[in-house]
Amino acid sequence: MEDGTLKSPGDCGDTEADYDVLQWDTRVDCEVRQILDRVADKWSLLVIALLDQRSLRFTELKRKIDGVSQRMLTRTLRHLERDGLVERTVHPTVPPRVDYALTPLGASLHTTIKALVVWTESHQNEIATARNSYDRRVRDAEALEDATV
């Protein structure tokens, strides 16, 4: 195989050896990029975080996730189930009861998500200060530009 030739369409490089963000290929067929896009979206993160505590019914998830539509929650759960992160259990009752729970793979992802949340919580004041500083600089620059025009 020639240098630079990928092994398969879904192989976007080895992220273990020499970590390089440029290996997160933007091609549509890059599985690493597809997985990151899926698990990093806001609805998936919230679903995974909520299911870490216990299994939940669809209506419980919908009630706990402010702003999610029924359609978006359904799509998110289906994608997470397809990726092996969430398990869907249908109970043969009338009306049918459906529970969602994290799989072991999903639980291992939650550990990473929790680390991100902890980091965010511990740095939220620094981020707020940086945002305020940036907004002030932009506002001042715009005011200066308007004054010179």
Side-chain angles (χ1 to χ4, degrees):
M1 184 177 291
E2 285 185 41
D3 255 356
T5 303
L6 296 177
K7 298 173 191 137
S8 71
D11 182 2
C12 304
D14 182 7
T15 55
E16 290 286 327
D18 293 319
Y19 178 77
D20 179 4
V21 73
L22 296 178
Q23 291 177 344
W24 296 354
D25 200 316
T26 57
R27 290 176 298 131
V28 175
D29 59 351
C30 177
E31 288 188 39
V32 170
R33 178 63 182 259
Q34 289 175 5
I35 294 167
L36 286 171
D37 287 347
R38 172 73 35 82
V39 299
D41 78 66
K42 69 179 180 178
W43 303 125
S44 295
L45 290 172
L46 289 169
V47 167
I48 291 166
L50 286 168
L51 291 178
D52 181 62
Q53 300 163 12
R54 64 182 180 93
S55 66
L56 294 170
R57 295 171 71 174
F58 183 91
T59 53
E60 292 174 300
L61 282 166
K62 174 113 174 52
R63 191 172 37 250
K64 289 178 182 277
I65 302 175
D66 187 39
V68 70
S69 67
Q70 182 168 335
R71 179 178 183 268
M72 185 53 69
L73 181 55
T74 299
R75 289 184 61 187
T76 300
L77 288 165
R78 284 184 183 155
H79 290 306
L80 292 172
E81 183 181 8
R82 180 174 183 251
D83 290 341
L85 302 170
V86 167
E87 180 179 57
R88 179 178 185 264
T89 305
V90 180
H91 301 279
T93 60
V94 177
R97 192 179 104 212
V98 180
D99 290 323
Y100 294 91
L102 288 183
T103 63
L105 183 62
S108 71
L109 176 59
H110 180 266
T111 303
T112 301
I113 292 169
K114 187 174 180 180
L116 179 61
V117 170
V118 168
W119 180 90
T120 304
E121 288 173 342
S122 66
H123 295 286
Q124 63 186 339
N125 292 335
E126 294 169 73
I127 293 168
T129 300
R131 286 177 176 174
N132 289 335
S133 176
Y134 175 86
D135 291 346
R136 201 171 24 260
R137 285 192 318 270
V138 168
R139 195 173 42 250
D140 292 348
E142 288 173 350
L144 183 61
E145 186 177 304
D146 288 344
T148 59
V149 173

